[in-house]
Amino acid sequence: MPGEGDARSHEGGRPHEKTQDDAFIAAQVAAQLEQNPFLDSGSVSVSVQQRRVVLEGVVDTPEASLRAEKDALSIEGVYACENRLEVGGSNHGRVRDG
């Protein structure tokens, strides 16, 4: 797509290194969410691609959704967070840069 560069040239690494970085970031975000007393971390899934975190699942309150997003953005190496968390069954997804 025009305007989108190759992630390898932007990051200066090989694709395998990118996958390892993403896996490490996903583990760090998941660990951070487990420490959050306002979340049931089992109801939130974390995926990472090219240092962009995607949060999916269901949380009880809008505040819990925002806290999860802030937790994800607090992890070193996170470029952005796409918050697809649903609050009480309605979608409040959005993307924020880190």
Side-chain angles (χ1 to χ4, degrees):
M1 185 175 253
E4 290 185 0
D6 185 320
R8 288 173 292 178
S9 63
H10 176 70
E11 297 296 328
R14 297 184 318 234
H16 181 67
E17 291 171 353
K18 173 69 69 190
T19 302
Q20 288 179 329
D21 289 346
D22 288 347
F24 180 75
I25 288 172
Q28 293 288 90
V29 171
Q32 183 72 17
L33 294 178
E34 286 178 15
Q35 299 299 317
N36 188 326
F38 299 97
L39 286 176
D40 173 8
S41 61
S43 68
V44 177
S45 70
V46 177
S47 61
V48 180
Q49 188 170 17
Q50 297 179 352
R51 298 181 177 213
R52 297 179 69 92
V53 174
V54 178
L55 300 175
E56 295 181 283
V58 179
V59 294
D60 292 331
T61 65
E63 292 79 16
S65 176
L66 184 59
R67 285 177 185 260
E69 185 176 327
K70 287 182 177 183
D71 284 349
L73 289 170
S74 74
I75 301 300
E76 185 176 343
V78 171
Y79 174 72
C81 179
E82 183 174 349
N83 187 341
R84 296 182 186 170
L85 294 171
E86 294 182 14
V87 179
S90 65
N91 192 349
H92 291 275
R94 62 183 183 275
V95 176
R96 287 215 177 149
D97 290 333

